[in-house]
């Protein structure tokens, strides 16, 4: 672990490193087409494939700063072993919520990349639990400290990736705060913290435009990028210096070339890169092939199962071969016989996946609930006591296994609290304590608690008898002693 106290050499290095637009033009070579940091998706093989097809800058998958500092294997598997001269420029992204830990991780990574990025945009539940990503966007003092420290101590520039606030003005103030702290390049994802999953919706380019106009550092835009035409339109409308793609790139790695090739062409090339640049985890490879073949696998469900069960890259390559064969057989038919999927291109062509909008709970297939016999309604809150239909699917399964299962908090049994710690006490505990407190008390007092299966008193008595009685209890030989004597040949 590197020392993060003030170091003149590091300070001098930070003064000499390129900043802002100089950094973008010289180090990043004026990159406009950018592949986003994606957990278990933007690994070396995928980055190299994307660069072959027009990507000018790539990010590593998001790395966990604390794990990166303490685990040498994690460092080797996620960055050190992926060093490749073809894979530059490269920005390493970290999630962190502690300035010292973030700097320690960044110092360990800075020699293997061209900049360090702080993730301030991840909206997933794991980020909420770990308190990082977009869930730090209201802690401006902490973020300012982290960025300032990184700008002072690192030999490479510090960049950030953020999501917007609902209010444009607050988003602009946020961006200006990060710029003032030392951020040298800012990627703005035009969606809010709550826009994810089924509620992803459309990214706001107005927010991105406002940020670009307010700051004096390069800005990358992220959101609504599915085709090269979207990239060009975004740059024209917002004036940003580069455009980042995540989902669009995963479904079509040739997006930045403006091509939509057959899926098998991209899949075969990717598998070839994987073979040339090991190691690459099987889960990464499988996930990429699933994304590429997403539309076709909706039709060929049997091969979807085969792909999920594949044990190695060769098995995945075989499923890819079968999918290619089936698609080519369909292509040989008359166009009128092709499977109609409602997509802009045939399903075997690389194209984006557009999430369907969330369903209106009051309608079903365009009809009002009152006009249908059976309607799937939005599930009620967990504390409502409605029929089974109002429960989640998981709870309905539990209800089917146990009809008496109750999910209403008001009707659930109330547990008596432990007298010492407040946790639920054991129902049969002789001390009215939880197991942990009971164990300490029973040990201290050499007592038994049948309710918790604790036998300290009983064990002590047995030990005492064996030490002093020589097998005698109240002056009488035990049955074991008598039995032994009866069979003693002497």
């Amino acid at each position: 672990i590197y020392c993060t106290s003030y170091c003149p050499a590091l300070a001098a290095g930070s003064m000499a490193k390129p900043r802002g637009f100089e950094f973008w033009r010289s180090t990043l070579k004026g990159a406009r087409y950018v592949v986003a940091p994606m957990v278990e998706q933007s690994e070396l093989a995928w980055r190299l494939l994307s660069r072959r097809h027009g990507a000018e800058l790539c990010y590593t998958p998001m790395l966990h700063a604390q794990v990166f500092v303490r685990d040498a294997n994690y460092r080797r598997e996620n960055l050190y072993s992926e060093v490749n001269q073809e894979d530059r420029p490269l920005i390493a992204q970290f999630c962190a919520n502690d300035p010292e830990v973030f700097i320690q991780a960044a110092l360990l990574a800075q020699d293997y990349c061209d900049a360090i990025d702080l993730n301030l945009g991840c909206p997933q539940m794991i980020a909420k639990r770990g308190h990082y990503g977009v869930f730090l966007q209201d802690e401006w003092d902490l973020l300012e400290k982290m960025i300032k420290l990184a700008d002072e101590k690192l030999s490479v520039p510090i960049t950030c990736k953020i999501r917007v606030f609902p209010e444009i003005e607050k988003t602009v103030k946020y961006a200006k705060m990060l710029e003032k702290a030392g951020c040298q390049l800012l990627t703005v994802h035009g969606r809010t913290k709550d826009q994810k999953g089924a509620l992803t919706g459309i990214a706001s380019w107005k927010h991105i435009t406002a940020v670009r106009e307010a700051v004096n550092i390069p800005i990358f835009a992220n959101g609504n990028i599915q085709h090269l035409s979207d990239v060009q339109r975004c740059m024209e409308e917002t004036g940003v210096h580069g455009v980042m793609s995540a989902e669009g790139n995963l479904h079509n790695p040739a997006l930045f070339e403006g091509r939509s090739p057959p899926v098998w062409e991209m899949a075969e090339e990717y598998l070839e890169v994987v073979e040339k640049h090991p190691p690459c985890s099987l889960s990464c490879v499988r996930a990429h092939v699933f994304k590429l073949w997403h539309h076709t696998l909706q039709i060929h469900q049997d091969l979807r199962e085969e792909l999920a069960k594949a044990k190695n890259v060769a098995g995945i390559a075989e499923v890819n071969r079968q999918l290619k064969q089936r698609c080519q057989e369909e292509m040989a038919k008359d166009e009128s016989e092709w499977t109609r999927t409602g997509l802009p291109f045939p399903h075997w062509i690389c194209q984006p996946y557009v999430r369907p909008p969330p369903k209106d709970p009051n309608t079903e297939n365009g009809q009002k609930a009152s006009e249908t016999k059976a309607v799937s309604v939005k599930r009620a809150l967990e504390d409502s006591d409605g029929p089974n239909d109002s429960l989640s699917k998981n709870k309905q399964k539990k209800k089917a296994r146990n009809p008496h299962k109750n999910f209403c908090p008001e009707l659930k049994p109330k547990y008596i609290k432990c007298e010492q710690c407040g946790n639920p006490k054991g129902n049969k505990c002789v001390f009215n304590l939880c197991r942990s407190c009971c164990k300490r008390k029973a040990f201290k007092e050499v007592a038994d608690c049948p309710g918790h299966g604790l036998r300290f008193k009983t064990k002590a008595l047995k030990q005492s008898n064996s030490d002093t009685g020589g097998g005698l209890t109240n002056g009488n030989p035990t049955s074991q002693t008598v039995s032994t004597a009866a069979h003693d040949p002497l």
Side-chain angles (χ1 to χ4, degrees):
I1 296 175
Y2 289 80
C3 175
T4 58
S5 59
Y6 180 78
C7 173
L10 286 175
S14 69
M15 292 175 65
K17 65 190 174 188
R19 305 179 70 81
F21 285 101
E22 181 193 354
F23 159 62
W24 175 62
R25 292 191 190 99
S26 60
T27 307
L28 302 185
K29 300 177 174 59
R32 297 172 301 155
Y33 303 151
V34 186
V35 175
M38 297 173 284
V39 176
E40 292 194 351
Q41 297 280 267
S42 57
E43 84 288 356
L44 174 63
W46 189 259
R47 297 197 300 265
L48 292 175
L49 176 71
S50 298
R51 290 179 191 276
R52 288 184 182 183
H53 296 282
E56 298 169 343
L57 170 65
C58 294
Y59 284 64
T60 67
M62 182 189 74
L63 305 172
H64 198 295
Q66 194 169 45
V67 181
F68 197 86
V69 168
R70 73 167 184 253
D71 191 336
N73 288 332
Y74 183 83
R75 294 196 293 271
R76 184 177 64 253
E77 292 169 3
N78 290 279
L79 186 62
Y80 294 177
S81 66
E82 294 194 341
V83 175
N84 189 294
Q85 290 304 313
E86 298 175 32
D87 188 33
R88 302 301 278 267
L90 176 69
I91 296 180
Q93 189 189 67
F94 286 95
C95 67
N97 56 24
D98 182 289
E100 293 295 324
V101 173
F102 175 51
I103 298 307
Q104 290 169 11
L107 288 169
L108 289 167
Q110 65 180 2
D111 292 337
Y112 299 85
C113 58
D114 298 290
I116 299 293
D117 186 79
L118 178 60
N119 183 326
L120 300 176
C122 181
Q124 303 304 325
M125 184 55 67
I126 190 171
K128 185 175 183 179
R129 288 197 296 265
H131 193 55
Y132 58 80
V134 76
F135 299 97
L136 294 177
Q137 72 175 172
D138 290 312
E139 300 187 32
W140 291 16
D141 290 341
L142 172 64
L143 296 181
E144 186 175 14
K145 183 178 179 181
M146 293 175 76
I147 300 301
K148 276 186 176 178
L149 206 57
D151 189 43
E152 291 171 4
K153 296 187 179 297
L154 299 182
S155 62
V156 296
I158 176 70
T159 69
C160 298
K161 183 173 186 290
I162 66 171
R163 282 193 171 222
V164 300
F165 289 94
E167 307 84 8
I168 291 180
E169 290 125 1
K170 188 173 182 180
T171 303
V172 168
K173 287 181 182 178
Y174 182 41
K176 293 177 82 170
M177 179 274 293
L178 294 173
E179 178 191 20
K180 184 178 179 182
C183 177
Q184 302 304 313
L185 183 149
L186 186 63
T187 300
V188 184
H189 187 162
R191 293 186 174 92
T192 65
K193 176 169 63 177
D194 299 321
Q195 285 183 275
K196 58 184 178 180
L199 302 176
T200 296
I202 303 297
S204 170
W205 287 358
K206 288 183 179 179
H207 283 70
I208 298 173
T209 302
V211 169
R212 199 270 306 159
E213 292 174 347
V215 300
N216 294 308
I217 56 175
I219 300 294
F220 289 164
N222 184 208
N224 303 346
I225 306 302
Q226 298 177 343
H227 305 280
L228 183 60
S229 58
D230 297 325
V231 174
Q232 296 163 343
R233 187 165 57 87
C234 179
M235 295 184 75
E236 289 172 4
E237 289 187 18
T238 64
V240 294
H241 308 91
V243 173
M244 178 182 285
S245 175
E247 285 282 334
N249 166 262
L250 290 177
H251 287 280
N252 180 12
L255 181 151
F256 291 127
E257 285 184 320
R259 292 197 308 125
S260 294
V263 172
W264 60 80
E265 180 184 317
M266 291 291 97
E268 288 173 350
E269 188 175 355
Y270 171 63
L271 293 172
E272 173 193 323
V273 176
V274 168
E275 291 289 349
K276 285 184 178 178
H277 299 278
C280 185
S281 73
L282 190 64
S283 62
C284 283
V285 180
R286 194 196 320 274
H288 280 302
V289 176
F290 262 120
K291 285 279 188 182
L292 289 169
W293 282 110
H294 173 84
H295 301 296
T296 301
L297 290 172
Q298 308 305 308
I299 301 166
H300 300 286
Q301 293 284 340
D302 58 323
L303 291 182
R304 183 184 184 87
E305 294 298 321
E306 290 299 317
L307 180 56
K309 295 175 183 176
K311 303 295 185 184
N312 47 44
V313 174
I316 293 175
E318 173 58 22
V319 175
N320 182 70
R321 186 195 65 77
Q322 293 182 47
L323 284 164
K324 174 182 177 181
Q325 182 179 344
R326 291 192 188 184
C327 289
Q328 289 179 332
E329 288 172 356
E330 186 173 342
M331 289 172 62
K333 298 178 183 178
D334 187 270
E335 187 173 338
S336 61
E337 297 182 39
W338 289 359
T339 303
R340 298 301 170 188
T341 57
L343 297 170
F345 304 113
H347 59 82
W348 55 79
I349 296 296
C350 286
Q351 56 195 299
Y353 166 67
V354 180
R355 288 187 180 89
K359 293 181 180 178
D360 185 341
N362 296 317
T363 62
E364 180 71 19
N365 297 326
Q367 293 180 307
K368 292 183 179 179
S370 58
E371 298 174 0
T372 57
K373 293 181 180 179
V375 188
S376 174
V377 298
K378 184 177 179 180
R379 66 187 178 96
L381 295 174
E382 293 186 1
D383 58 355
S384 64
D385 53 351
N388 283 357
D389 290 343
S390 67
L391 300 174
S392 67
K393 289 183 179 179
N394 190 35
K395 289 182 177 178
Q396 287 185 42
K397 290 178 182 178
K398 292 180 179 179
K399 191 82 171 176
R401 291 195 294 268
N402 180 8
H404 302 293
K405 185 78 174 175
N406 169 37
F407 297 103
C408 181
E410 288 78 10
L411 300 178
K412 287 184 178 179
K414 302 296 182 183
Y415 294 102
I416 301 173
K417 292 183 178 180
C418 169
E419 295 176 356
Q420 293 186 6
C421 70
N423 288 325
K425 84 170 189 70
N427 289 333
K428 298 180 181 179
C429 177
V430 296
F431 301 115
N432 291 322
L433 302 175
C434 67
R435 179 175 176 79
S436 180
C437 294
C438 175
K439 188 174 183 180
R440 286 195 294 270
K441 185 177 179 68
F443 177 77
K444 185 176 180 180
E445 299 182 3
V446 193
D448 287 350
C449 178
H452 281 125
L454 302 174
R455 300 281 189 273
F456 292 110
K457 181 179 179 180
T458 303
K459 289 178 181 177
L461 288 174
K462 285 185 178 179
Q463 183 66 33
S464 175
N465 288 337
S466 63
D467 290 344
T468 60
L472 296 176
T473 304
N474 296 328
N476 297 320
T478 63
S479 58
Q480 183 179 1
T481 306
V482 172
S483 174
T484 304
H487 293 86
D488 193 335
L490 298 177

